[in-house]
Amino acid sequence: TQLLEQSPQFLSIQEGENLTVYCNSSSVFSSLQWYRQEPGEGPVLLVTVVTGGEVKKLKRLTFQFGDARKDSSLHITAAQPGDTGLYLCAGGVYNNNDMRFGAGTRLTVKP
Amino acid sequence: NAGVTQTPKFQVLKTGQSMTLQCAQDMNHEYMSWYRQDPGMGLRLIHYSVGAGITDQGEVPNGYNVSRSTTEDFPLRLLSAAPSQTSVYFCASTFGVFGNTEAFFGQGTRLTVV
């Protein structure tokens, strides 16, 4: 059982559409991160959120950390083909020096 | 800047063989970790280290050993490879506590055990 559940697992949309992907858990996290991974590469950090209810925006990407620090969402506005990739959420575990990942959402944006 | 370097990029092993996956970072990070990535399961933590001489187990440590003799290097050893260890392996390093600071990943090692 994954500590972090991501949905949907796969998402295929047309260029210009909006989308939201979710990261949910029954556990509380000290922080939550979103990474993007391209084929043959390691994940690359997009954002870190640390405060319950926090919202961060990076250009067309909006990240939200749930009030209870158990869930997060990533919203992309006007998706572009360059947004194609595997989006992974990762949670920092309280009192433990490790980081747990969700299984990811594989996004395909068609021109 | 090299960042995190993993070698080899690809490896095929026979069941029962042993090998070491190498990981080196040049950012003077104290924290390093090894993950395996399997389809539909995301990245699962194998072992991690919070500094030279200190290692600990993650979610899936069985069949793997690690050591951390220097800050820069964190090798992962497979003592007797099994087909269940076929996976893509990633090494990562961070400046601070995992999850609170950016993790830098290597490009991965794709391992096939036949």
Side-chain angles (χ1 to χ4, degrees), chain A residues 16-32:
Chain A
E17 293 183 0
N18 301 332
L19 66 113
T20 302
V21 298
Y22 300 93
C23 175
N24 296 301
S25 177
S26 58
S27 299
V28 176
F29 292 98
S30 59
S31 62
L32 202 136

Side-chain angles (χ1 to χ4, degrees), chain A residues 2 9 30-31 33 35 37 40-43 45 48 86 88 92 96-103, chain B residues 9 31 35 37 40-43 45 48 50 58-59 90 97-103 105-107:
Chain A
Q2 295 279 148
Q9 187 176 358
S30 59
S31 62
Q33 298 179 317
Y35 288 80
Q37 185 180 18
E41 302 289 333
L45 180 70
T48 300
L86 179 67
L88 297 159
N96 199 348
N97 288 313
D98 69 37
M99 188 166 64
R100 301 298 176 96
F101 282 82
Chain B
K9 292 201 71 173
Y31 296 78
Y35 291 86
Q37 187 173 32
M41 300 191 74
L43 286 95
L45 181 66
Y48 64 95
V50 300
E59 300 174 72
F90 287 97
V97 175
F98 294 121
N100 289 348
T101 57
E102 180 176 4
F105 286 83
Q107 289 193 307

Side-chain angles (χ1 to χ4, degrees), chain A residues 53-103:
Chain A
E54 182 177 1
V55 177
K56 279 192 175 179
K57 293 188 177 183
L58 296 175
K59 297 183 180 178
R60 295 178 294 102
L61 278 60
T62 302
F63 304 86
Q64 185 163 6
F65 199 14
D67 291 341
R69 310 167 71 94
K70 294 182 179 181
D71 54 82
S72 181
S73 63
L74 160 59
H75 180 81
I76 301 179
T77 303
Q80 299 176 359
D83 296 326
T84 293
L86 179 67
Y87 289 81
L88 297 159
C89 65
V93 181
Y94 275 114
N95 299 319
N96 199 348
N97 288 313
D98 69 37
M99 188 166 64
R100 301 298 176 96
F101 282 82

Side-chain angles (χ1 to χ4, degrees), chain B residues 25-62:
Chain B
Q25 53 93 7
D26 62 358
M27 296 172 283
N28 202 32
H29 286 170
E30 289 295 327
Y31 296 78
M32 296 185 74
S33 57
W34 277 102
Y35 291 86
R36 59 177 289 172
Q37 187 173 32
D38 302 293
M41 300 191 74
L43 286 95
R44 290 183 292 167
L45 181 66
I46 304 171
H47 286 283
Y48 64 95
S49 169
V50 300
I54 306 170
T55 63
D56 208 344
Q57 297 181 350
E59 300 174 72
V60 289
N62 293 339

